[in-house]
Amino acid sequence: MPKILKLNTPGDYLSYVGGESRHPLVGVVEFDKVSPIASSLNHYGVYALFMHSHIRDDLQYGRGSFGHSSGSLICVAPGQIGGREDVGDKIDLDGWAILFHPDLLVGTPLEKGIRKFSFFDYSVNEAVFLEIDEKERLATLMKSIRDEIYHPTDSDQNAIIVSYISVMLHICNRAYVRQFHQIRRTSDDILVRLSSLLNEYYDNGLQLKYGVPGVQYFADKLCMTANYFSDLLKKSTGENASNFIRDHIIRIAKNRLLSTHTVSQVAYDMGFDYPQHFSRMFKKHTGMSPIQYIASLNQR
């Protein structure tokens, strides 16, 4: 099993590379200010955009590797694996990176809208190639986010940051659509298929009929035994199947907690028979109860 760096927050990566963390949900790295750095094989709990003029040809991505070593923009999403395992050397990197936690998007249109940006799909192991003006616009937006992070915190700060991120993603999408015919998609990537099945399960309300989905349900859908499915996912991500499924359920629940009157209603809407079972899983996963989570959002 390779050594994997868990990036549960933007600050985890900033700490690793020697950058400064100024916001709990957003981080900006300008690599010329921190290089050389030790490489790392990362398990992402955050979204991230990495802009480099050259992408190493030994970067891993899931079970494969990135194509096009001439490089440009790498886009990753929570639950994915990417990078290069630390073998004791240090590397010089140019460019920049923006990392943002899914909680930043809670209650915003981008929380659901981010699904449509298919360059985040785990099956896409190619960089997004940008025109010169697109690179310059993204760099300007990166600096705007950096400056906003350094601005004194107020009630508008997160909304402003999310608006900048939204524009960045639309610029990336324009470039991705332009190169779409060059991108090879694989239909057998286990994480892509699992994510799609999870979305379909809750989008179609199956939890109201069958309850919270488990490992066996998805193993059956993927025509695998539960043990083989779990082993395959563990090998791909370093995470077991139950945790991956719970990650997805918690992300949906967080959004519903903002728009529903009671924790009990959210629990039943998510397919739990008893609210205390939902609360127990939520606290185990996030470190706080659903009520504490709502309170923490109201304090921002």
Side-chain angles (χ1 to χ4, degrees):
M1 177 71 66
K3 182 179 179 181
I4 297 177
L5 178 65
K6 294 273 190 176
L7 300 183
N8 296 319
T9 69
D12 291 336
Y13 187 71
L14 286 162
S15 176
Y16 183 79
V17 301
E20 183 180 8
S21 181
R22 301 281 300 191
H23 190 292
L25 301 178
V26 189
V28 175
V29 179
E30 294 174 272
F31 286 107
D32 62 337
K33 296 180 180 179
V34 297
S35 287
I37 62 174
S39 56
S40 59
L41 183 59
N42 307 317
H43 183 194
Y44 291 93
V46 297
Y47 290 97
L49 305 178
F50 291 89
M51 173 71 78
H52 300 296
S53 62
H54 178 79
I55 296 175
R56 298 175 61 103
D57 57 11
D58 58 353
L59 282 183
Q60 294 178 239
Y61 191 56
R63 296 192 302 276
S65 60
F66 268 106
H68 296 315
S69 60
S70 58
S72 194
L73 186 73
I74 298 174
C75 308
V76 296
Q80 298 179 357
I81 297 284
R84 172 179 175 266
E85 188 176 5
D86 181 13
V87 292
D89 61 342
K90 289 199 172 185
I91 54 177
D92 283 301
L93 291 175
D94 63 1
W96 50 265
I98 288 179
L99 303 93
F100 57 98
H101 196 280
D103 281 1
L104 180 70
L105 310 183
V106 171
T108 72
L110 190 55
E111 182 182 23
K112 291 183 178 179
I114 201 167
R115 286 188 190 177
K116 74 179 181 181
F117 297 116
S118 53
F119 48 80
F120 279 118
D121 282 352
Y122 210 26
S123 62
V124 180
N125 64 338
E126 308 254 354
V128 177
F129 289 89
L130 306 163
E131 302 291 348
I132 293 176
D133 68 308
E134 291 169 337
K135 292 181 181 180
E136 292 174 347
R137 292 176 67 190
L138 287 179
T140 298
L141 287 162
M142 175 274 294
K143 292 174 183 176
S144 295
I145 293 173
R146 177 200 63 193
D147 293 345
E148 186 60 39
I149 290 173
Y150 276 81
H151 189 280
T153 302
D154 57 34
S155 60
D156 292 313
Q157 185 179 63
N158 284 1
I160 291 170
I161 292 172
V162 170
S163 69
Y164 286 141
I165 291 173
S166 181
V167 175
M168 293 183 82
L169 297 182
H170 281 284
I171 292 173
C172 295
N173 196 57
R174 173 185 287 166
Y176 179 70
V177 170
R178 189 170 61 238
Q179 70 182 58
F180 183 80
H181 67 282
Q182 299 174 349
I183 296 178
R184 297 167 305 198
R185 293 177 174 273
T186 58
S187 60
D188 62 343
D189 190 298
I190 186 67
L191 290 176
V192 176
R193 296 167 68 190
L194 176 56
S195 294
S196 178
L197 287 169
L198 277 161
N199 288 332
E200 289 175 7
Y201 192 91
Y202 278 95
D203 287 346
N204 295 331
L206 296 181
Q207 77 279 11
L208 302 178
K209 183 176 182 180
Y210 301 112
V212 178
V215 173
Q216 187 65 57
Y217 172 86
F218 296 108
D220 290 343
K221 287 291 183 181
L222 294 167
C223 301
M224 302 175 185
T225 66
N227 286 341
Y228 182 82
F229 168 60
S230 296
D231 289 344
L232 188 59
L233 201 62
K234 181 77 172 179
K235 183 178 180 181
S236 299
T237 68
E239 194 81 49
N240 64 48
S242 295
N243 285 344
F244 189 96
I245 293 168
R246 281 197 293 268
D247 273 347
H248 192 91
I249 292 171
I250 292 298
R251 284 199 292 273
I252 297 174
K254 284 180 175 179
N255 185 52
R256 298 192 181 190
L257 283 169
L258 292 180
S259 57
T260 307
H261 294 300
T262 67
V263 172
S264 294
Q265 187 60 54
V266 173
Y268 292 129
D269 287 346
M270 295 302 297
F272 289 85
D273 291 330
Y274 303 101
Q276 56 267 37
H277 291 173
F278 166 66
S279 295
R280 189 180 304 120
M281 188 184 86
F282 192 98
K283 185 169 185 178
K284 182 178 180 180
H285 188 85
T286 67
M288 62 181 78
S289 70
I291 292 176
Q292 290 171 329
Y293 174 75
I294 295 171
S296 72
L297 293 177
N298 292 335
Q299 293 172 0
R300 290 176 188 169

